[in-house]
């Protein structure tokens, strides 16, 4: 399979990978190439910028979360497109305690993709050659095909950098002056998602123009086209490009309109086949400014397993949709919308009634917090929430959990039998406090050692801080949809 592709790696975090990757995607799209964006690692927010630039949902390529499914996910979504893959952290930085497992270099080798290294050259001179030479030769299997120099202070510095790199025969694909450095908005979990106004009007166009001016796009295209044939795994194809934007303004995505009702803020999910047959599992999906962390390939998988995804908004809707078979409350930023969530009493009542009916609810991170008795914000203000789980959540100024985790279900549930093992990721500036003894969902492992008991699992509720990527665990959705707990036939 011919897939023009390129990986944008960084020498370390903070070199401008997301800004440059987004700009490159936008610039290549203006050249009328069908660009598909990707992000190495578990990040939910960076892909929203890719989607804004390309008009297609970006995909995550995470070896821990996807396992052996990673090449298949890539092949299914990159077919007949040009793949621009943004790396994670530094080029060789992988999962803790491993020899680079899951790093940008590791994924690039798995996909047999050429790499362009982004260097923050703001304080560098001839040493740039030693730095780039080290990245190029550290792993002989890595195909480093060029560099982009970011934050260069002057034309004199640029001349020195180019001369040094010419000595090691590493092409300079672009040089971005420091005064043109653009910074994306950030907060406690990283960048502000596009759906929350993370992009100013015209930002993508400006970024595209800068990349077009300062990067040799002809050479970038040549590198992408020079990537070898990709051997496609023989698995069923998924051809979908769904994007959800929690916004009050319509968005045009792949010639399909994402509209939002001005009366009840109903968000219409684009490109869904609305064939309401009795054998489809009706999966309610919380989607708005407070809940927006989902892996696109997991949603595609759910539809491939005969589920109909029904989006709803805990912020704007007065009730959950009717006749749902199950609910998925993803992560996001409920802490930024506590007043609105707390005051939406009719919606909370409908969610409580759904939980009382015995139908299954699955919640991750922000969704987990929302199901509790209350959430206390960064200023110490406590507001009541759904009251379905007997715990309280509070925001903290210190990071409470980050990293890959293995979880083992303590008891059987709608995902599978007790002892079922999952691989996930956590990242949160909050903690939960239970007022009495509770049934945890997982025994959580950090490496080979038990870290703690995590989450809540009782009857029809599974909730925790752990983010799962169901494309790496399709058996969980298969078991859930087959069980059809609480459905009235």
């Amino acid at each position: 399979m011919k897939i023009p592709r390129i990986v944008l790696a960084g020498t370390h975090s903070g070199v401008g990978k997301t800004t440059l990757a987004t700009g490159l995607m936008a610039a290549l799209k203006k050249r009328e190439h069908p660009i598909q964006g990707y992000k190495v690692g578990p990040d939910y927010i960076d892909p929203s910028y890719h989607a804004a630039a390309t008009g297609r949902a970006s995909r995550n390529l995470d070896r821990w979360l996807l396992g052996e499914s990673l090449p298949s996910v890539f092949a299914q979504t990159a077919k007949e497109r040009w793949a621009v893959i943004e790396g994670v952290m530094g080029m060789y930085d992988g999962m803790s305690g491993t020899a680079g497992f899951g790093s940008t270099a590791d994924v690039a080798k798995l996909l047999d993709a050429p790499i362009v290294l982004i260097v923050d050259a703001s304080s560098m001179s001839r040493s740039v050659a030693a730095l780039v030479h080290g990245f190029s030769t550290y792993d002989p299997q890595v195909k480093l095909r060029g560099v982009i120099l970011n934050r260069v202070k002057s034309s004199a510095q640029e001349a020195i950098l180019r001369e040094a790199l010419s000595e090691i025969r590493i092409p300079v694909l672009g040089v971005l002056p420091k005064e043109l450095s653009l910074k994306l908005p950030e907060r406690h979990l990283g960048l502000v998602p596009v759906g929350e106004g993370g992009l100013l009007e015209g930002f993508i166009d400006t970024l595209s123009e800068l990349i077009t001016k300062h990067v040799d796009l002809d050479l970038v295209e040549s590198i992408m086209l020079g990537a070898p044939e990709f051997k496609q795994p023989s698995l069923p194809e998924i051809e979908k490009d769904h994007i959800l934007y929690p916004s009050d303004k319509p968005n045009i995505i792949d010639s399909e309109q994402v509209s939002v009702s001005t009366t009840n803020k109903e968000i219409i999910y684009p490109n869904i086949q609305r064939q309401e047959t009795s054998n489809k599992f009706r999966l309610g999906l919380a989607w708005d400014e407070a809940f927006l962390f989902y892996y696109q390939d997991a949603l595609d998988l759910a539809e491939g397993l005969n589920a109909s995804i029904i989006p709803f908004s805990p912020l704007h809707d007065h009730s959950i949709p009717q006749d749902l078979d199950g609910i998925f409350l993803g992560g996001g930023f409920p802490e930024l919308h506590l007043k609105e969530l707390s005051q939406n009493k009719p919606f909370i009542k409908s969610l409580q009634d759904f939980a009382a009916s015995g139908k299954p609810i699955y919640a991750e991170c922000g969704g987990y917090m929302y199901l509790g008795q209350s959430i206390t914000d960064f200023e110490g203000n406590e507001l009541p929430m759904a009251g379905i789980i007997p715990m309280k959540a509070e925001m903290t100024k210190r990071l409470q959990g980050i990293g890959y985790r293995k979880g083992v279900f303590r008891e059987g549930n709608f995902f599978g039998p007790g002892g079922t093992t999952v691989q996930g990721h956590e990242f949160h500036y909050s903690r939960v406090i239970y007022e009495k003894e509770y049934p945890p969902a997982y025994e959580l492992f950090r490496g080979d050692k038990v870290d703690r008991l995590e989450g809540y699992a009782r009857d029809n509720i599974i909730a925790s801080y752990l983010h799962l990527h169901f494309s790496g665990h399709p058996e969980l959705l298969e078991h859930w949809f087959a069980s059809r707990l609480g459905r009235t036939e």
Side-chain angles (χ1 to χ4, degrees):
M1 179 188 298
K2 185 63 177 178
I3 302 176
R5 57 196 184 275
I6 199 168
V7 174
L8 297 179
T11 54
H12 57 279
S13 295
V15 298
K17 289 192 301 293
T18 302
T19 304
L20 290 175
T22 302
L24 184 61
M25 292 177 197
L28 290 173
K29 184 187 177 185
K30 284 191 174 181
R31 288 190 163 205
E32 299 185 350
H33 297 306
I35 303 301
Q36 174 62 59
Y38 294 89
K39 172 67 180 180
V40 177
D43 188 278
Y44 289 102
I45 300 175
D46 292 358
S48 71
Y49 289 86
H50 302 171
T54 66
R56 289 191 175 95
S58 183
R59 313 285 174 154
N60 289 76
L61 300 172
D62 189 295
R63 289 204 70 182
W64 172 257
L65 297 179
L66 288 174
E68 295 180 357
S69 299
L70 190 151
S72 299
V73 166
F74 179 73
Q76 291 164 1
T77 55
K79 185 179 180 181
E80 299 179 355
R81 294 174 184 163
W82 291 43
V84 178
I85 305 163
E86 179 192 342
V88 61
M89 300 186 292
M91 181 167 141
Y92 291 104
D93 299 330
M95 185 175 172
S96 178
T98 70
F101 178 85
S103 68
T104 302
D106 184 39
V107 171
K109 289 191 295 182
L110 187 66
L111 301 180
D112 201 8
I115 295 176
V116 170
L117 183 66
I118 300 171
V119 178
D120 181 349
S122 57
S123 300
M124 300 197 75
S125 180
R126 289 186 57 81
S127 295
V128 70
L131 176 71
V132 174
H133 182 268
F135 273 85
S136 178
T137 60
Y138 180 76
D139 185 340
Q141 294 181 310
V142 164
K143 299 176 179 178
L144 201 157
R145 295 293 183 255
V147 299
I148 294 177
L149 303 174
N150 197 16
R151 301 165 189 158
V152 175
K153 296 179 180 178
S154 65
S155 58
Q157 184 194 19
E158 177 182 343
I160 295 172
L161 296 169
R162 285 184 178 276
E163 180 184 6
L165 289 168
S166 69
E167 295 175 5
I168 61 171
R169 299 182 179 180
I170 298 291
V172 176
L173 306 185
V175 177
L176 278 80
K178 187 174 183 180
E179 65 267 21
L180 296 181
S181 178
L182 297 175
K183 187 174 178 61
L184 299 173
E186 299 183 37
R187 60 172 175 240
H188 58 283
L189 290 185
L191 297 177
V192 177
V194 169
E196 289 190 60
L199 284 180
L200 297 176
E201 185 176 354
F203 182 92
I204 293 294
D205 287 336
T206 300
L207 197 53
S208 173
E209 292 170 2
L210 290 175
I211 293 296
T212 301
K213 180 179 180 180
H214 296 283
V215 175
D216 188 339
L217 293 178
D218 290 336
L219 190 49
V220 170
E221 290 176 350
S222 176
I223 292 172
M224 296 181 73
L225 288 168
E229 293 283 323
F230 185 76
K231 297 180 181 179
Q232 181 182 6
S234 56
L235 292 176
E237 295 181 6
I238 298 175
E239 293 286 348
K240 297 182 184 294
D241 287 313
H242 303 152
I243 297 179
L244 292 172
Y245 279 117
S247 167
D248 288 340
K249 297 180 180 180
N251 296 273
I252 305 299
I253 306 298
D254 278 350
S255 301
E256 295 290 334
Q257 187 172 17
V258 185
S259 62
V260 182
S261 167
T262 57
T263 55
N264 61 3
K265 303 290 186 179
E266 181 186 1
I267 299 173
I268 306 302
Y269 195 62
N271 301 338
I272 283 191
Q273 300 297 317
R274 299 271 180 191
Q275 297 177 359
E276 302 301 338
T277 56
S278 60
N279 66 335
K280 277 187 175 288
F281 187 100
R282 288 174 55 84
L283 178 62
L285 187 80
W287 181 265
D288 55 26
E289 300 91 328
F291 306 98
L292 68 167
F293 288 174
Y294 301 96
Y295 292 119
Q296 184 63 47
D297 293 293
L299 301 182
D300 291 347
L301 172 66
E303 289 195 298
L305 293 174
N306 207 33
S308 179
I309 296 177
I310 315 297
F312 62 84
S313 169
L315 274 173
H316 306 301
D317 292 344
H318 294 299
S319 66
I320 62 172
Q322 294 183 348
D323 302 323
L324 296 181
D325 295 306
I327 284 177
F328 183 2
L329 287 157
F333 298 97
E335 65 271 19
L336 302 181
H337 306 275
L338 295 184
K339 183 177 179 180
E340 296 89 341
L341 290 170
S342 183
Q343 290 180 346
N344 195 350
K345 302 297 184 183
F347 180 86
I348 289 177
K349 178 62 166 59
S350 73
L351 186 62
Q352 291 172 340
D353 290 344
F354 185 90
S357 75
K359 293 183 179 181
I361 298 176
Y362 172 64
E364 295 179 344
C365 205
Y368 173 39
M369 296 162 60
Y370 175 65
L371 290 182
Q373 302 292 331
S374 65
I375 298 177
T376 300
D377 65 18
F378 287 107
E379 286 71 43
N381 303 306
E382 182 180 359
L383 285 89
M385 290 292 127
I388 293 172
I389 297 178
M391 63 81 174
K392 295 183 177 182
E394 61 181 22
M395 301 305 300
T396 63
K397 294 181 179 180
R398 295 182 60 183
L399 190 62
Q400 297 295 314
I402 183 172
Y404 293 112
R405 303 285 184 263
K406 180 175 73 175
V408 178
F409 281 115
R410 302 263 292 174
E411 304 289 343
N413 53 59
F414 56 82
F415 276 156
T420 297
T421 299
V422 298
Q423 295 185 170
H425 183 268
E426 65 172 338
F427 183 24
H428 51 97
Y429 279 83
S430 65
R431 60 191 175 197
V432 297
I433 301 170
Y434 282 85
E435 299 176 345
K436 57 183 179 180
E437 189 173 342
Y438 68 100
Y442 303 105
E443 189 172 38
L444 213 59
F445 289 78
R446 183 182 300 186
D448 294 329
K449 296 182 179 180
V450 176
D451 183 32
R452 67 181 191 272
L453 298 179
E454 164 62 24
Y456 178 92
R458 183 175 183 180
D459 300 325
N460 57 320
I461 309 293
I462 303 173
S464 79
Y465 274 120
L466 200 64
H467 292 281
L468 302 179
H469 195 319
F470 292 107
S471 290
H473 290 291
E475 70 279 3
L476 301 182
L477 290 186
E478 290 171 355
H479 192 276
W480 184 6
F481 297 164
S483 67
R484 235 175 175 78
L485 292 179
R487 181 174 175 84
T488 303
E489 298 292 343

